[in-house]
Amino acid sequence: MMKSTLLSYAVFIVFIITTQSIPSASQDALYDVNGKKVLNNVPYYLGPVIWAKGGGIKLIDTKYNKKICPSYVVQDPDEVNKGGQFIFTLLAKQKYVLTTYPFGIDSESPTGTCDASTFWKISDPEAKALSNLITTGGSFETALSCFRVVDYPKPTIPKVHSYMLQLCPSVCGAGPRTCFNISLYQDKGVRYLASSGSTPFEFVFQKAK
Protein backbone atom coordinates (compact mmCIF):
# COMPACT_ATOMS: atom_id res chain seq x y z
CA MET A 1 0.00 0.00 0.00
CA MET A 2 2.85 2.36 0.88
CA LYS A 3 4.68 1.66 -2.40
CA SER A 4 1.49 2.28 -4.38
CA THR A 5 0.93 5.61 -2.62
CA LEU A 6 4.52 6.75 -3.18
CA LEU A 7 4.37 5.76 -6.85
CA SER A 8 1.14 7.68 -7.37
CA TYR A 9 2.63 10.74 -5.65
CA ALA A 10 5.77 10.56 -7.81
CA VAL A 11 3.71 10.34 -11.00
CA PHE A 12 1.68 13.36 -9.86
CA ILE A 13 4.84 15.42 -9.22
CA VAL A 14 6.28 14.53 -12.63
CA PHE A 15 3.00 15.54 -14.26
CA ILE A 16 2.99 18.94 -12.51
CA ILE A 17 6.64 19.68 -13.40
CA THR A 18 6.13 18.62 -17.01
CA THR A 19 2.97 20.67 -17.58
CA GLN A 20 4.48 23.79 -16.00
CA SER A 21 7.84 23.62 -17.78
CA ILE A 22 6.42 23.36 -21.32
CA PRO A 23 4.33 26.54 -21.87
CA SER A 24 2.19 26.88 -24.95
CA ALA A 25 3.66 29.39 -27.41
CA SER A 26 0.19 30.23 -28.73
CA GLN A 27 -0.89 31.37 -25.26
CA ASP A 28 2.10 33.72 -24.97
CA ALA A 29 1.48 35.56 -28.24
CA LEU A 30 -0.49 38.82 -28.34
CA TYR A 31 -3.11 39.31 -31.06
CA ASP A 32 -4.64 42.40 -32.62
CA VAL A 33 -8.33 42.93 -33.40
CA ASN A 34 -7.88 41.11 -36.72
CA GLY A 35 -6.47 38.01 -35.05
CA LYS A 36 -2.89 38.61 -36.20
CA LYS A 37 0.13 38.44 -33.88
CA VAL A 38 1.36 41.77 -32.53
CA LEU A 39 4.77 42.60 -34.02
CA ASN A 40 7.82 43.93 -32.24
CA ASN A 41 8.82 47.52 -33.21
CA VAL A 42 5.68 48.12 -35.29
CA PRO A 43 3.17 50.95 -34.56
CA TYR A 44 -0.26 50.11 -33.11
CA TYR A 45 -3.30 51.96 -31.84
CA LEU A 46 -4.50 51.06 -28.34
CA GLY A 47 -8.24 51.29 -27.91
CA PRO A 48 -11.03 50.12 -25.61
CA VAL A 49 -12.98 46.97 -26.38
CA ILE A 50 -16.20 49.01 -26.57
CA TRP A 51 -15.48 52.30 -28.30
CA ALA A 52 -18.70 53.91 -27.06
CA LYS A 53 -16.90 54.34 -23.73
CA GLY A 54 -14.18 56.53 -25.26
CA GLY A 55 -11.56 56.55 -27.98
CA GLY A 56 -7.97 55.38 -28.26
CA ILE A 57 -4.92 56.20 -26.17
CA LYS A 58 -2.98 59.36 -27.07
CA LEU A 59 -0.57 61.97 -25.69
CA ILE A 60 -1.49 65.43 -24.42
CA ASP A 61 0.91 68.32 -23.89
CA THR A 62 -1.33 70.49 -21.70
CA LYS A 63 -2.65 70.12 -18.16
CA TYR A 64 -4.98 72.59 -16.46
CA ASN A 65 -4.64 74.73 -19.61
CA LYS A 66 -0.85 74.95 -19.23
CA LYS A 67 1.83 73.51 -21.52
CA ILE A 68 3.69 70.55 -20.04
CA CYS A 69 6.79 68.55 -20.87
CA PRO A 70 6.96 65.55 -20.81
CA SER A 71 3.52 64.63 -22.14
CA TYR A 72 0.80 62.65 -20.36
CA VAL A 73 -0.76 59.44 -21.70
CA VAL A 74 -4.57 59.65 -21.73
CA GLN A 75 -7.66 58.20 -23.36
CA ASP A 76 -9.27 60.35 -26.06
CA PRO A 77 -12.82 61.25 -24.93
CA ASP A 78 -14.19 60.93 -28.49
CA GLU A 79 -14.97 57.33 -29.45
CA VAL A 80 -14.36 58.02 -33.16
CA ASN A 81 -10.69 58.85 -32.57
CA LYS A 82 -8.11 56.05 -32.69
CA GLY A 83 -5.57 58.09 -30.71
CA GLY A 84 -1.81 58.01 -31.24
CA GLN A 85 0.46 55.32 -32.60
CA PHE A 86 2.66 53.41 -30.16
CA ILE A 87 5.52 50.97 -30.68
CA PHE A 88 6.22 48.08 -28.33
CA THR A 89 9.96 47.48 -28.21
CA LEU A 90 11.00 44.22 -26.58
CA LEU A 91 14.06 43.93 -24.38
CA ALA A 92 14.84 40.68 -26.23
CA LYS A 93 15.17 40.02 -29.96
CA GLN A 94 11.80 38.58 -30.89
CA LYS A 95 9.61 38.99 -33.96
CA TYR A 96 6.39 39.13 -31.96
CA VAL A 97 5.41 40.77 -28.70
CA LEU A 98 4.81 38.13 -26.02
CA THR A 99 3.15 38.24 -22.63
CA THR A 100 6.27 36.78 -21.02
CA TYR A 101 8.66 39.53 -22.17
CA PRO A 102 9.10 43.07 -20.78
CA PHE A 103 9.21 45.97 -23.23
CA GLY A 104 9.41 49.71 -23.58
CA ILE A 105 6.55 51.68 -25.12
CA ASP A 106 7.62 54.35 -27.59
CA SER A 107 5.27 57.13 -28.67
CA GLU A 108 4.99 58.85 -32.00
CA SER A 109 7.31 61.82 -32.45
CA PRO A 110 6.10 64.91 -30.58
CA THR A 111 4.81 67.81 -32.65
CA GLY A 112 5.68 70.54 -30.15
CA THR A 113 8.89 71.86 -28.69
CA CYS A 114 9.16 69.27 -25.87
CA ASP A 115 12.50 67.49 -26.18
CA ALA A 116 11.78 64.74 -23.62
CA SER A 117 12.16 61.08 -24.57
CA THR A 118 9.09 59.54 -26.19
CA PHE A 119 9.26 56.36 -24.06
CA TRP A 120 6.56 55.87 -21.42
CA LYS A 121 7.37 55.85 -17.71
CA ILE A 122 5.84 56.16 -14.26
CA SER A 123 8.10 58.17 -11.97
CA ASP A 124 6.66 56.70 -8.77
CA PRO A 125 4.19 53.80 -9.26
CA GLU A 126 3.64 53.53 -5.47
CA ALA A 127 2.66 57.19 -5.07
CA LYS A 128 -0.88 58.46 -4.59
CA ALA A 129 -3.13 59.63 -7.39
CA LEU A 130 -1.83 62.34 -9.77
CA SER A 131 1.75 61.42 -8.85
CA ASN A 132 1.69 58.02 -10.53
CA LEU A 133 0.48 58.96 -14.00
CA ILE A 134 2.11 57.60 -17.15
CA THR A 135 4.14 60.21 -19.00
CA THR A 136 6.76 60.29 -21.70
CA GLY A 137 10.37 61.04 -20.75
CA GLY A 138 11.32 57.45 -19.92
CA SER A 139 14.49 55.51 -20.75
CA PHE A 140 14.56 52.18 -22.55
CA GLU A 141 15.47 49.13 -20.42
CA THR A 142 15.05 50.91 -17.09
CA ALA A 143 12.82 50.09 -14.12
CA LEU A 144 10.39 53.01 -14.48
CA SER A 145 9.79 52.21 -18.17
CA CYS A 146 9.49 48.43 -17.82
CA PHE A 147 6.03 47.39 -19.03
CA ARG A 148 4.38 44.15 -20.02
CA VAL A 149 0.96 43.05 -21.32
CA VAL A 150 -1.11 40.21 -19.86
CA ASP A 151 -4.45 38.71 -20.85
CA TYR A 152 -7.44 40.51 -19.37
CA PRO A 153 -8.80 38.12 -16.71
CA LYS A 154 -12.50 38.55 -17.55
CA PRO A 155 -12.82 39.89 -21.12
CA THR A 156 -15.82 42.05 -21.93
CA ILE A 157 -16.20 40.17 -25.21
CA PRO A 158 -14.83 36.60 -24.86
CA LYS A 159 -14.02 36.14 -28.56
CA VAL A 160 -11.96 39.35 -28.72
CA HIS A 161 -8.29 39.35 -27.67
CA SER A 162 -8.23 42.00 -24.95
CA TYR A 163 -5.40 42.82 -22.57
CA MET A 164 -4.25 44.86 -19.61
CA LEU A 165 -0.99 46.72 -19.11
CA GLN A 166 1.36 46.38 -16.15
CA LEU A 167 4.49 48.19 -14.97
CA CYS A 168 7.05 45.71 -13.55
CA PRO A 169 10.08 47.75 -12.31
CA SER A 170 12.15 44.93 -10.81
CA VAL A 171 12.19 43.01 -14.10
CA CYS A 172 14.37 45.70 -15.69
CA GLY A 173 16.27 47.03 -12.68
CA ALA A 174 15.97 48.16 -9.08
CA GLY A 175 12.45 48.83 -7.91
CA PRO A 176 9.40 47.38 -6.17
CA ARG A 177 9.22 43.61 -6.60
CA THR A 178 5.67 43.68 -7.85
CA CYS A 179 3.77 44.54 -11.01
CA PHE A 180 1.34 47.46 -11.00
CA ASN A 181 -1.89 47.20 -12.98
CA ILE A 182 -2.51 50.20 -15.22
CA SER A 183 -5.93 51.78 -14.89
CA LEU A 184 -7.74 54.92 -16.00
CA TYR A 185 -7.69 57.72 -13.44
CA GLN A 186 -10.05 60.62 -14.11
CA ASP A 187 -9.18 64.15 -13.05
CA LYS A 188 -11.19 67.18 -14.15
CA GLY A 189 -12.72 65.22 -17.03
CA VAL A 190 -9.41 63.82 -18.35
CA ARG A 191 -8.80 60.05 -18.26
CA TYR A 192 -5.13 59.47 -17.45
CA LEU A 193 -3.35 56.12 -17.56
CA ALA A 194 -1.91 55.51 -14.09
CA SER A 195 -0.84 52.85 -11.61
CA SER A 196 -3.89 53.67 -9.49
CA GLY A 197 -7.57 53.01 -9.97
CA SER A 198 -10.10 50.34 -9.17
CA THR A 199 -10.24 48.45 -12.47
CA PRO A 200 -7.37 47.78 -14.93
CA PHE A 201 -7.83 49.35 -18.35
CA GLU A 202 -8.97 46.72 -20.85
CA PHE A 203 -7.71 47.40 -24.37
CA VAL A 204 -7.16 45.89 -27.82
CA PHE A 205 -4.40 46.31 -30.39
CA GLN A 206 -5.13 47.71 -33.84
CA LYS A 207 -2.25 47.79 -36.29
CA ALA A 208 -1.55 51.23 -37.76
CA LYS A 209 -1.35 51.51 -41.53
Side-chain angles (χ1 to χ4, degrees):
M1 183 68 177
M2 180 65 71
K3 290 182 179 180
S4 177
T5 302
L6 290 175
L7 179 61
S8 298
Y9 180 75
V11 170
F12 174 75
I13 292 298
V14 170
F15 172 76
I16 291 297
I17 293 174
T18 302
T19 55
Q20 290 186 350
S21 62
I22 307 177
S24 172
S26 61
Q27 292 178 346
D28 290 337
L30 301 179
Y31 294 88
D32 64 18
V33 292
N34 295 314
K36 296 183 178 180
K37 293 181 180 180
V38 175
L39 295 164
N40 183 24
N41 280 323
V42 171
Y44 285 86
Y45 298 108
L46 304 181
V49 177
I50 301 177
W51 287 81
K53 294 184 178 181
I57 300 302
K58 68 175 186 178
L59 301 182
I60 58 171
D61 60 358
T62 59
K63 186 178 182 183
Y64 306 145
N65 296 321
K66 295 182 179 179
K67 283 287 185 179
I68 54 175
C69 180
S71 302
Y72 284 93
V73 183
V74 304
Q75 182 185 22
D76 196 299
D78 194 338
E79 62 268 17
V80 301
N81 292 333
K82 293 182 178 180
Q85 298 180 18
F86 303 101
I87 296 174
F88 294 76
T89 303
L90 292 176
L91 306 187
K93 293 182 179 180
Q94 297 284 341
K95 182 177 180 180
Y96 302 106
V97 181
L98 306 175
T99 58
T100 53
Y101 284 87
F103 51 73
I105 305 177
D106 195 5
S107 310
E108 58 188 350
S109 299
T111 56
T113 58
C114 180
D115 58 357
S117 163
T118 53
F119 276 95
W120 291 15
K121 73 169 184 178
I122 300 182
S123 296
D124 188 354
E126 296 181 299
K128 295 182 179 179
L130 293 180
S131 296
N132 56 11
L133 306 180
I134 294 182
T135 70
T136 56
S139 299
F140 184 56
E141 294 191 64
T142 58
L144 299 180
S145 296
C146 190
F147 292 92
R148 74 174 184 180
V149 167
V150 296
D151 293 318
Y152 202 79
K154 294 183 179 180
T156 301
I157 305 176
K159 293 184 179 181
V160 174
H161 295 285
S162 62
Y163 303 97
M164 56 184 280
L165 187 66
Q166 295 181 327
L167 178 75
C168 303
S170 64
V171 176
C172 302
R177 300 188 64 82
T178 185
C179 289
F180 299 87
N181 295 335
I182 303 304
S183 307
L184 289 175
Y185 182 83
Q186 186 161 318
D187 178 56
K188 298 185 182 302
V190 180
R191 298 174 182 174
Y192 297 91
L193 285 186
S195 58
S196 63
S198 57
T199 305
F201 175 59
E202 182 184 11
F203 69 91
V204 293
F205 290 92
Q206 182 174 355
K207 189 177 180 182
K209 295 182 179 180

